[in-house]
Amino acid sequence: MKSKHNFKSFWRFIRKNLKFCTVFIVTLALVFLSIFWGIIPVKQNFEGNLLVKSFSFTCQENESLLLKDVYNLSQIDLSGLKKFTLAGIFSSLADTELNKRERLEIESIRENSTLTITPTADFILQELRLQKETRVKNLKYAPFNNRLAFSLQPNSQPVSLSFNPSSNPIKITLSGYKIANLPQKKEDIPLEFNLSTTEFKLEIQQAFDVNLQLSQDKEQPIFWRNIKVSNVRFERPIITGNNVRDDLVESTIISGNIRMAQQDIKLEENQFLIVEKPGVEILNQIKIIREDTNQNLKLKTTGENLQITEASPGLEVSVSGNTNSIQVGLNPRLPIAQIQGSFLSRYLANKAIVAIISFSGGLIVSLLSWLFDNFPASP
């Protein structure tokens, strides 16, 4: 009987205060929705600029252009090639048999075999094209010797390197290779000869390493833009070779900034960038940052002191992608900063979302207080 009386009293109270109850229910629903929309992760676009020592990625588009018009190369080293073919006019004082050939079938005879290309005059890497699912590993710039190095792991389609020798002979040095149908020299003696050709192109379908000796032209842009990628990693493994449990991973980030959901996170040296999938999807731009005592200076103020420091050399990478969470920290398992995307963060700043939730919560407390003060007590 008591519960029945309470129900009747509650129902009379609702009918008597219908407007208040309607406002209360609508407000309560809006509070729960705002909390839901403000907390539940939702994937959003993000962008950032990072200065790194090296990084790795997987190409996600066929015929993707990575390098374009790399002028005045003084040396190209390709290591790890198992088998390839050279075509053109060959000349050699040591091996006159080569002078009769127009095509050479070349095969590796040891693991660390290297093909070295040394131009005798102007020499251009016209383009380096990647097929879908080609993995580019440890792309890095070494400022002390002005070299660009990386490893390529083709999937099912070959990687294409096109050179323009400008009708000048090319010096070819083969270390750890043999030429089919020619007497084999001692394994430790490199094979040297000149190659003359109007078109020099290599189609390579095996994993190999590339090392380019760049020119001193500091304004030369060599990387193409808007490369579609996946599985981007700004880190490298440290392998002891003794026990897998001893192996480590270190960050290659020098500095940077990431922006998502109208929030920013700054990255410092050796911090890890942890991005939930799909993660980085486009490499908007890659630039080589060289050591320079006159340019790219940073100003730092510490109290009353003014410090002038040079920009660190490396690769500056502009990225964009899609994710619901970005984390940063020196330890990837214990990040110290995070940006999490939500439905409301697409349209409002984080402070505005907190203000809305706080205001709604305060309004609910006020309405509940009024409800308890005015609801008739049970007899």
Side-chain angles (χ1 to χ4, degrees):
M1 294 297 293
K2 185 177 179 181
S3 61
K4 186 176 181 181
H5 173 77
N6 288 341
F7 178 77
K8 288 182 178 180
S9 299
F10 180 70
W11 183 247
R12 282 196 302 269
F13 177 80
I14 290 178
R15 285 187 298 175
K16 184 179 178 181
N17 301 277
L18 185 59
K19 290 183 178 180
F20 168 82
C21 293
T22 303
V23 172
F24 179 79
I25 293 171
V26 171
T27 304
L28 188 63
L30 289 176
V31 169
F32 281 115
L33 283 175
S34 62
I35 294 174
F36 179 81
W37 288 336
I39 295 178
I40 299 300
V42 174
K43 289 182 180 178
Q44 292 193 36
N45 295 331
F46 70 90
E47 61 183 10
N49 287 291
L50 301 168
L51 181 62
V52 301
K53 301 170 189 173
S54 64
F55 71 106
S56 304
F57 61 90
T58 300
C59 178
Q60 285 301 308
E61 191 173 31
N62 286 326
E63 296 294 328
S64 183
L65 184 60
L66 179 63
L67 295 174
K68 173 73 173 174
D69 292 336
V70 188
Y71 291 92
N72 302 324
L73 285 167
S74 56
Q75 185 172 307
I76 302 101
D77 294 322
L78 305 178
S79 304
L81 298 177
K82 301 302 180 186
K83 187 181 292 187
F84 58 96
T85 301
L86 295 178
I89 300 173
F90 303 95
S91 58
S92 172
L93 296 177
D95 297 287
T96 55
E97 184 66 25
L98 290 176
N99 303 339
K100 305 174 186 178
R101 300 290 186 93
E102 294 182 354
R103 189 179 182 89
L104 297 181
E105 302 291 339
I106 301 168
E107 186 175 349
S108 170
I109 54 176
R110 67 168 186 245
E111 263 188 42
N112 57 344
S113 51
T114 303
L115 162 64
T116 301
I117 304 167
T118 309
T120 57
D122 292 341
F123 191 74
I124 304 169
L125 171 56
Q126 287 183 308
E127 59 181 32
L128 167 57
R129 288 193 177 272
L130 310 176
Q131 298 296 335
K132 189 173 182 179
E133 298 302 328
T134 298
R135 183 70 176 163
V136 180
K137 293 185 65 177
N138 200 27
L139 175 60
K140 63 183 177 181
Y141 169 69
F144 60 89
N145 58 7
N146 197 28
R147 282 182 172 260
L148 184 71
F150 51 94
S151 300
L152 292 176
Q153 296 179 344
N155 185 23
S156 57
Q157 299 295 321
V159 170
S160 175
L161 294 96
S162 299
F163 300 90
N164 181 4
S166 302
S167 302
N168 296 303
I170 308 164
K171 181 182 176 182
I172 302 291
T173 304
L174 301 175
S175 300
Y177 286 101
K178 67 176 182 179
I179 300 175
N181 301 322
L182 280 182
Q184 182 178 340
K185 289 187 174 183
K186 290 185 179 180
E187 188 174 325
D188 57 345
I189 300 178
L191 302 168
E192 292 187 0
F193 53 88
N194 287 339
L195 169 63
S196 298
T197 179
T198 56
E199 181 183 9
F200 185 30
K201 188 172 183 178
L202 291 172
E203 299 277 349
I204 304 171
Q205 199 167 347
Q206 62 226 285
F208 66 104
D209 299 328
V210 181
N211 200 311
L212 304 177
Q213 180 69 59
L214 302 177
S215 72
Q216 295 299 324
D217 183 3
K218 297 178 182 179
E219 301 301 323
Q220 179 190 12
I222 61 175
F223 290 98
W224 204 240
R225 299 187 178 190
N226 298 330
I227 304 170
K228 294 182 180 179
V229 295
S230 66
N231 196 22
V232 180
R233 293 287 181 270
F234 299 103
E235 56 192 41
R236 70 179 187 90
I238 303 176
I239 301 173
T240 61
N242 299 321
N243 193 320
V244 176
R245 291 180 298 177
D246 297 329
D247 296 345
L248 298 172
V249 175
E250 73 171 5
S251 171
T252 60
I253 293 175
I254 300 172
S255 62
N257 185 74
I258 294 290
R259 180 171 179 79
M260 186 182 78
Q262 304 185 51
Q263 299 179 63
D264 291 88
I265 292 184
K266 288 187 177 181
L267 291 96
E268 298 180 356
E269 190 167 5
N270 299 325
Q271 283 189 320
F272 287 88
L273 175 64
I274 307 107
V275 184
E276 296 292 333
K277 290 184 178 181
V280 176
E281 296 179 302
I282 297 177
L283 301 177
N284 302 309
Q285 188 176 25
I286 307 172
K287 290 173 59 179
I288 293 175
I289 305 298
R290 309 178 189 231
E291 283 183 316
D292 195 324
T293 56
N294 299 317
Q295 299 179 6
N296 298 325
L297 297 182
K298 296 179 180 177
L299 299 179
K300 295 183 178 180
T301 56
T302 308
E304 297 179 353
N305 298 323
L306 180 65
Q307 301 175 356
I308 301 179
T309 59
E310 297 178 15
S312 300
L315 294 173
E316 187 178 73
V317 188
S318 172
V319 302
S320 58
N322 190 271
T323 187
N324 58 22
S325 176
I326 295 175
Q327 297 177 317
V328 170
L330 289 173
N331 189 323
R333 296 181 180 178
L334 300 170
I336 62 168
Q338 180 180 17
I339 299 177
Q340 184 167 293
S342 64
F343 178 80
L344 287 180
S345 63
R346 292 181 177 180
Y347 311 101
L348 299 173
N350 191 50
K351 290 182 179 179
I353 297 172
V354 173
I356 290 172
I357 295 175
S358 300
F359 174 77
S360 301
L363 186 59
I364 286 293
V365 172
S366 299
L367 294 174
L368 284 173
S369 298
W370 188 93
L371 179 64
F372 285 118
D373 291 339
N374 291 273
F375 189 75
S378 300

